[in-house]
Amino acid sequence: MTKALRWQVWVDWAGGGSWDAGGADVSADVLGLRWRWGRRGLPVPEFAPPAELELTLSNHDHRYTPGNIGGPLGANVRPGREVSLRAGRIHDDFDTGGAESVDLNGRAASGGERWEVTSVSGNGFSVLDGTATGQGGGWPPSDAVAVLDAGDPLATLTAHYRRGSNGLGGFVLRCAAQDDCLRLRFASDATVMERVSGRTVTRLSDGGSLETGVWHDLEIEQTADSVRVHATGLAQPGATRREILAATAIAEAPDSSRHGLWHGFRNAQDRWGEFGVGRSLFSGHITDVSPDYEAGVCRVTAADVMQRLDTVPLHRALAGGLMRSGNVAAAILGWAGLLPGDYALDDGRTLLTGGARSVWDVSAGRALRRLQREEHGMIYADGLGRVRLEAASRRAGVRGHADPASLARFSIGDTADGGGPYATSIHRNDGADGVEDAVTFRYRRSSDAGRQQVWRLNEALEIPAGGEQALLVATDTWDVIDGIAAPVAGTDYTATDDADGGGNDVTDDITIELLTEAQSGIAGRGHALRIRNGGQNTAYLQSLDLYANHSWRTQTSSAVRAESANAGLPLDTGRGRLVNCRYADNYAAARGAAEARMAERSQPRPQLEATLSLPGVGNSRAVVEGRLSDVVEVEAESEGIAGAWLLEGMEVNVVGGGGEVRWWLTGV
């Protein structure tokens, strides 16, 4: 039986941060979608563009037409609204289609898998109208476990859940038996991860609690030794997705592909809904809404948070000192308005060890790309509205792995016969275009010259009576300035009541305020000033000198060159690159970057584009579980292709019940 993916799309039309509002779930109106993330195309590009989502919505009733204030969504259909996409390969919405409840035991989920309930008679689960509820009428009172076989011990689970009890409800993971599992339960003061082994219950980790009586959307992500739980309050205005539990270093977890629900004793207060095996794929904001009146559809496009980075200009400064590339990236993202929950960064390498650095008059996106070249890691958007810096060591470690953990194993074929994944077409690039025989990293050192004059007014500035002027002063002489001294009237600035400077002295009417970085968003090579005229006549600022207590400037520039040691390498002398290091000011950092780049770029890395049809069972699973830098094993010996590949990017096209997915892979 072919298991169709279930695509769920929510749009926060009201803009209040609630996914439970009327009209938020547009899944039933989705006629097609296209979702793209990661580095895409052949040859695989160096940088990843923003993740994108395109939706085609049925719009015969014009509910999604902007400006249709008489429609059910009113004037709320416009760009900027938040969009979320989720896919599930196994799901049960607990819909009974009638007024009577049914027992969950033996109930079939979407792909034919059946629930198995283990409990004392009468203490299981009943299902009614989209909700599962614990039964507590049997004797003696006992725990109840309901599990589905997901075919994967490390499946990502999704569910709606409403806490009513104090820690007597939740989920079981990797459930080999009722008394041999991981158990996730929700108490009033914490979310708790436990290991159940016989009569022994070991508390592994605590996390944030869930409000009682409120429906939450949960996503439970598993790895071999960790479980992370993300929660979104469905009906809470302003609620955002947040991580409430991160249980790590889990040892000796049971090896079972069965996961499901749990309630303790006679708990009939908690509620479960929309249980599935799948995960969130995209979170972003609408960039365009375009109705097609003749076709009766509306096309909606959205992009994740990475799109914003190229539109945010930075005028900031890094403090300097011992800073790793992860710290630098976090500063850039923070300046661009991202919150810590929006990104996940590896520490990276030590780049800064000396003086301050300005990130001046450049977009946040460009600053990140500069950093990426120096760190020699990969900066991605992960399609969930977060940015991730992947350290270069991640790939080096994968290449040394003799038996990579495969996301999917598939053979290239022409038909969809068989239960495994298959590819309908492939296109290969030998990777030779990316060969480099030499790379030079030019790094710089800077020093603090102490107190210096950093700026001077070069023409009279008019300030109206009782008015003010905002002024951005920036130096071209110094890379970074800090500790601007407050200007002193009569010494650092003067003013008169006429433009040519020959009138009455009105300096005492003028006050100059140095705006803080928090007020202005300016620091580094420049500073923002607010100049006020408290007099009754127009004043003309004739002179203004600014001094900074610390003034940094590049003193020396040095280069580190790395060359390929492979004498048999087909040299491409036109591709030896000079990389100007804005953040590295020490030999060790530059040398490490040069060697890392040579290890990556001095030999051809074959690249592969595989097109897969979605209806295949294995393909559907791979689409849902595919993540950046996962290892994929490709077996197509007749095509000369075999072994481990890194997943770099993906594009999914869905039309009706069918569709296809493209993978872009780089050979390990």
Side-chain angles (χ1 to χ4, degrees), residues 351-411:
L351 293 180
L352 271 173
T353 57
R357 291 286 185 275
S358 64
V359 187
W360 190 259
D361 200 22
V362 64
S363 72
R366 187 176 179 187
L368 280 177
R369 289 189 287 272
R370 286 176 176 174
L371 174 66
Q372 178 176 320
R373 288 192 177 97
E374 294 182 38
E375 203 277 350
H376 198 66
M378 300 296 173
I379 296 175
Y380 287 108
D382 67 2
L384 288 172
R386 294 191 301 268
V387 178
R388 193 177 89 209
L389 166 65
E390 170 205 280
S393 59
R394 166 72 176 89
R395 291 164 185 257
V398 167
R399 293 196 175 102
H401 201 325
D403 184 22
S406 298
L407 169 69
R409 300 173 183 269
F410 63 88
S411 299

Side-chain angles (χ1 to χ4, degrees), residues 452-592:
Q452 298 287 333
Q453 185 184 61
V454 294
W455 190 82
R456 168 170 287 179
L457 185 68
N458 59 9
E459 63 182 35
L461 179 65
E462 179 180 347
I463 305 119
E468 64 180 44
Q469 289 277 14
L471 196 64
L472 171 62
V473 299
T475 176
D476 293 325
T477 305
W478 303 98
D479 185 52
V480 180
I481 57 175
D482 188 28
I484 294 285
V488 178
T491 301
D492 297 323
Y493 68 90
T494 60
T496 64
D497 61 3
D498 64 345
D500 61 11
N504 297 318
D505 188 320
V506 294
T507 302
D508 290 342
D509 293 337
I510 302 299
T511 57
I512 298 179
E513 178 187 2
L514 300 176
L515 300 181
T516 66
E517 181 180 348
Q519 291 173 308
S520 65
I522 303 296
R525 287 175 53 192
H527 209 95
L529 311 178
R530 180 182 290 126
I531 305 173
R532 288 192 173 99
N533 177 10
Q536 298 180 356
N537 300 305
T538 299
Y540 297 87
L541 193 67
Q542 298 295 341
S543 67
L544 173 59
D545 296 331
L546 290 182
Y547 294 83
N549 294 327
H550 301 281
S551 303
W552 284 274
R553 181 165 54 197
T554 301
Q555 298 299 310
T556 60
S557 181
S558 302
V560 174
R561 181 177 177 86
E563 298 184 14
S564 173
N566 186 351
L569 182 70
L571 298 181
D572 184 354
T573 57
R575 291 187 177 272
R577 295 188 182 180
L578 176 67
V579 180
N580 289 304
C581 296
R582 291 185 52 81
Y583 308 113
D585 65 356
N586 61 86
Y587 178 87
R591 184 71 197 177

Side-chain angles (χ1 to χ4, degrees), residues 303-342:
D304 76 355
V305 73
M306 275 292 268
Q307 184 197 47
R308 173 165 28 137
L309 299 181
D310 279 321
T311 64
V312 178
L314 301 182
H315 300 84
R316 298 296 184 104
L318 294 164
L322 188 63
M323 292 185 71
R324 302 182 71 88
S325 51
N327 305 133
V328 178
I332 292 170
L333 295 170
W335 293 333
L338 279 68
L339 300 174
D342 293 327

